[in-house]
Structure formats: structure tokens, C-alpha cells
Amino acid sequence: MGTPVPRTWLAGAPRAGGATTTHDLHDPNTGEVLQTYAFSSDAQVDDVLAAASAAHASGVWAEADPAERAAVLTAFATRLEGVADRIAELDALNSGVPVRFTRMFARSLPDTVRRAVELAQEQAARRWLEADGRSVQLRHVPWGPTALLLPWNAPAAVLVKSLAYALVAGAPVVAKPSPESPWSAEVVAGALTSAGVPDGVFGLVHGGAHVGGLIAADPRVRAVSLTGSTATGRSVAATAGGNLTRLRLELGSNNPAVVLADADVPATARALVAGFTKLNGQWCEAPRAVFAESRLVEPLVEAVVAEIGRIAMGPSTSGDTTFGPLAFAGRKAALEDQIERMVAGGARRLAPLTTPPRGWFLSPTLLLGDDVRLPGEVFGPVLAISPVPDDRQAVAAANALGGGLAGYVFTGDEERGMQVGARIVAGEVKLNGTSLLDMARDSAQSFFGGSGLGGHGDRDVLEFYAGKQVLGADLLDPAI
């Protein structure tokens, strides 16, 4: 399978990266260097931002009839159907996530775009308000050029969703993939361009923190959507704050799982293993810290180890693999350092799987102890398990992690689980499961604590890309 060369997309055409800075991309299954590519130059970044600003000022997209925008996005969805398998193969090689899962994500992308169109049509760009016979209108006005700073763990899925909702809201987009996973963005850019998006309304740049900083600091950028680490989110917020740029930050989270005394241990073990190994553990809502009723800890650990033993570890490009390598060498090194720090702090380590001799493989790892302290944000197949005497202390320990994207409660009593879950500070709390999917079609969750700003329900995402303006005939009484 050939791999595309990451290029800067400007005015509907790709151009070779112009920076002297280059980046190596490796096969995470072997460690072999697959490609060396050049980042976008500062001048190219400026050109793309200028094109987005000019496109917004012209009104070619922001002031287009919503039906015109919908038609382009519908054509985009159709083109994504034809390249879904290609996207899946590239993401499996870039991220290490097994192709059986990247294929599921890639094949869902057309419906993601169609859902954005559907919600925009429901919302309507403008509607008349009740105003005692006066003409008063509520309008949704796109902020302006919007930057998408994208992650490496689900590159196409996050790009397409963010892109679809920004575009359907009328905002021009400048996208920057992670330097570790740029390939599928090339395919998405080609599909969108061929769907007829006007010049300047979409641009693609490549680079690391330097390029991200240029974009976040630029006053022409009126909104930034970032999916990434907490450290990156803080940096972007500090950089963009001087311009009062609108921010949506989906960051990391050490998500807690509370196991109550009446939990079904085998079922809990299956769900925990499915959750903390999903996307090879590279999932921002994966359970990271388990607080289990004391007498359940030993049987729970035994059951979790047995479940890990059923995992099919192997190359991410194999259809038989259910658990692949980490995405890149630096991620593995950082995770191994965190594990060693927890062991040095007194935790007992269990790593049940034997890993291949090459590549960035890491066995799903348990850290056990009376009070395992996670050393910062953990992002990989690591699960800490600690005993607690009762529900109250379990919730206190869960919330001491700082609030998060998700939480989990395992119990045989749903009503009790709802009561416990309501006390966990997280945007989404699931009972007896760790599915990656939303629990309901209109689910909406906020990013609590250090896990970010904003939320990621579909309607929340659509709302982010545009502001509300009230336009109409004012009240006639000058006294108030």
C-alpha cells in the first residue's frame, strides 16, 4: 500500500511542504521508517490563513444559501464512501489502531457528515422570534476562520466531524493534523475539494507545535477546536487568549471507574478491559483508575488478567488483530516512564501479554496498590486498581482525579448506580459498560475540570462554530 505525501492545501490545490523542518513517519508495527516529509513553511501557513480570511470576508461561504452548503457537504459524504477503506488503511498504519476498528470509523464518516447537514437544517440559519408584532430575528452567524488542531489517535474521525460541523455552520476551516498521523487528511482534502468547496474555504497545513502556535496566535483565526493533551490545550488557550479567540478544547482525562460491592465481577472485568484497551488504550475516555470495594479487588484482578489473555495482539494492518502497537516511539517511552514511576511509588505491576520484539508494542498493564497515584495524564493501555471501603470514599477518590470526560460505575442495582454516578464529576458517566459510542442519539456532555472547554454532543459542536445575533425592530418605550 502506497502512502500519500503530506502537502499544504491552498485554494483547492496541494503544494509540497516548504519548511526546512522534516518529520519521519514510522511503521508502528516494526519501527521501520516509512516516510520523511516536510512541514508547511511559515509563509504557507500565512497564505492559507489569508485565503480563509478573504473567503470569509467575501461571504462566498458564510453568506451562501444553507442549501448550497448542504449540497457541497452531501457530495463530500458521497465521495467519502468511495475512499473509506483507503482512509482505514492509512489510519491503521499511522495510529497503530487495528484496521478492523479504523475501517468501522472510516465507513461511518459519510453518515457523520450527513448528520451535520441534518442538524443544521433543523436549526435553520435564522428564525423569527415572538416580539409583539415587531420583526425580530435570531440569526446564527459563523465566527469566521476556524482552526482544527487534530489528534493522532483517531485522525480521520475527528477531522471529518469537526470539518463537517464547521463548514455547515458557514465557517472557513484551516486544519492541522498531528505530525504523527497526517495521511488520511490528504484523502479527506481531496474528497472535499472534488465536492466543490469554494477556494479558500478549506486549507490544510502540516507541522508540530510551532505551526500550531502560529495558527492559535493569529488574530484572523476566530475559533479553535483542539483535540489533544491537557498540556497542549493549556498552551493553545494561553496563546489564543489575547485575541479572545473562541475555544473548544477536548483534552485528556484520567477517567475513574467505581466498582460497587454488588457488581458482577466477570462482566465488570470484560467491560474494563474493553475500555482501557480500546484503540490500543489510546482513547481519551478510557477508564484509567478503578476504585473497587475492597473484597472485590482480588477476584476482579484475576478476571481482568484472564480477559487480557484473550486479546489478539498483532500488527495493526492485520484483520485478525484486536490490539496493536502504540502510535509512535515517543508515546511508548512516555508511558513506560509513567509506569516505572508508579512502580517506584509502591504499585505492583502486571503485564500479562508477551510483546513482539519490534515495533511500539506494550502489553495492557495493571498497576495495583492501596493508593496508586497516576503521574499526570495517562494515555495508553494502563489501568490502576485500588481498594476502597465504601461508595463515599470511592466517589471522593474518583473526584480527586480532577474531573474528567467520562466516569464509569459498575453495580447490580441501576438505581443505586445512578445515585453514585450523579456524584462523579465528569461529562458522561456510564453504568456497567465502556462503549465508545454515545448512550443516546442526542447525548451531550461537557468537558469537566481539566478535561477541557466546551462539549461534544452533536448540537453542542454545531453551536460552537457560530454566534447568535438578534436583529430587528427595537421596543418603542424609551423609558426602559
Side-chain angles (χ1 to χ4, degrees):
M1 177 186 68
T3 56
V5 177
R7 298 167 295 178
T8 301
W9 285 70
L10 171 64
R15 308 172 185 198
T20 57
T21 305
T22 60
H23 188 71
D24 291 337
L25 292 174
H26 297 78
D27 183 343
N29 304 292
T30 65
E32 172 192 4
V33 176
L34 296 177
Q35 184 185 76
T36 300
Y37 73 99
F39 287 164
S40 301
S41 68
D42 291 7
Q44 287 176 320
V45 173
D46 186 70
D47 287 345
V48 171
L49 291 174
S53 181
H56 185 65
S58 74
V60 65
W61 192 250
E63 296 173 17
D65 188 291
E68 293 179 38
R69 298 202 293 256
V72 171
L73 286 163
T74 299
F76 176 43
T78 299
R79 283 160 174 77
L80 287 174
E81 289 175 339
V83 294
D85 287 347
R86 173 69 166 154
I87 288 172
E89 292 168 352
L90 293 171
D91 278 2
L93 198 53
N94 257 173
S95 69
V97 174
V99 70
R100 64 164 61 192
F101 301 123
T102 61
R103 189 173 291 121
M104 290 167 56
F105 292 146
R107 291 177 179 175
S108 73
L109 297 179
D111 284 343
T112 296
V113 177
R114 294 181 182 116
R115 169 70 169 162
V117 172
E118 173 190 328
L119 286 181
Q121 290 171 336
E122 287 179 11
Q123 180 192 71
R126 56 188 63 88
R127 66 183 175 89
W128 296 104
L129 302 179
E130 237 359 275
D132 300 324
R134 287 172 293 109
S135 298
V136 179
Q137 193 177 73
L138 176 64
R139 305 175 67 239
H140 294 271
V141 182
W143 297 118
T146 295
L148 307 181
L149 305 181
L150 303 160
W152 45 263
N153 60 327
V158 178
L159 168 58
V160 168
K161 180 165 185 176
S162 301
L163 182 59
Y165 281 81
L167 290 178
V168 82
V173 167
V174 174
K176 187 194 84 66
S178 163
E180 304 296 343
S181 55
W183 286 333
S184 60
E186 288 292 310
V187 181
V188 171
L192 179 60
T193 300
S194 67
V197 70
D199 289 353
V201 173
F202 171 75
L204 180 67
V205 298
H206 293 280
H210 171 71
V211 170
L214 289 178
I215 295 169
D218 198 294
R220 291 170 293 188
V221 174
R222 300 312 309 144
V224 174
S225 177
L226 162 74
T227 302
S229 71
T230 302
T232 301
R234 291 184 188 280
S235 176
V236 167
T239 301
N243 297 323
L244 299 181
T245 304
R246 277 75 185 169
L247 296 175
R248 177 180 174 273
L249 308 176
E250 183 173 2
L251 309 178
S253 177
N254 287 329
N255 307 294
V258 171
V259 182
L260 303 182
D262 61 354
D264 180 323
V265 170
T268 298
R270 285 193 296 274
L272 287 173
V273 172
F276 97 97
T277 63
K278 208 179 300 290
L279 309 188
N280 306 341
Q282 301 167 149
W283 175 40
C284 58
E285 294 189 5
R288 303 288 181 209
V290 177
F291 304 101
E293 201 276 345
S294 300
R295 68 178 181 82
L296 292 186
V297 169
E298 184 175 345
L300 179 63
V301 170
E302 291 178 359
V304 167
V305 170
E307 286 297 324
I308 292 173
R310 297 185 177 94
I311 288 174
M313 176 186 281
S316 62
T317 52
S318 169
D320 296 327
T321 296
T322 61
F323 184 87
L326 299 178
F328 52 97
R331 178 86 304 267
K332 182 185 178 188
L335 205 55
E336 288 176 330
D337 177 69
Q338 288 180 310
I339 291 169
E340 291 300 330
R341 288 160 63 186
M342 285 185 274
V343 171
R348 179 165 63 97
R349 170 175 43 196
L350 291 177
L353 297 185
T354 300
T355 58
R358 298 197 304 157
W360 320 136
F361 290 92
L362 181 75
S363 170
T365 302
L366 305 181
L367 281 304
L368 313 174
D370 289 340
D371 185 19
V372 180
R373 300 295 178 93
L374 299 178
E377 178 188 338
V378 175
F379 198 73
V382 173
L383 190 69
I385 302 179
S386 298
V388 288
D390 53 39
D391 300 358
R392 182 183 61 80
Q393 292 198 35
V395 170
N399 289 338
L401 295 172
L405 295 172
Y408 303 91
V409 178
F410 295 90
T411 178
D413 183 338
E414 186 172 297
E415 182 178 352
R416 183 180 174 213
M418 295 287 280
Q419 293 170 352
V420 172
R423 289 153 44 206
I424 294 175
V425 180
E428 180 178 60
V429 180
K430 294 186 174 183
L431 305 186
N432 298 322
T434 56
S435 168
L436 184 143
L437 301 176
D438 288 336
M439 289 182 280
R441 180 173 172 83
D442 286 325
S443 284
Q445 70 184 86
S446 298
F447 306 146
F448 280 75
S451 67
L453 300 173
H456 78 184
D458 289 347
R459 296 179 193 279
D460 292 333
V461 175
L462 179 61
E463 290 261 333
F464 169 73
Y465 294 106
K468 296 184 181 72
Q469 180 192 64
V470 179
L471 170 68
D474 195 11
L475 295 164
L476 297 180
D477 185 349
I480 55 173

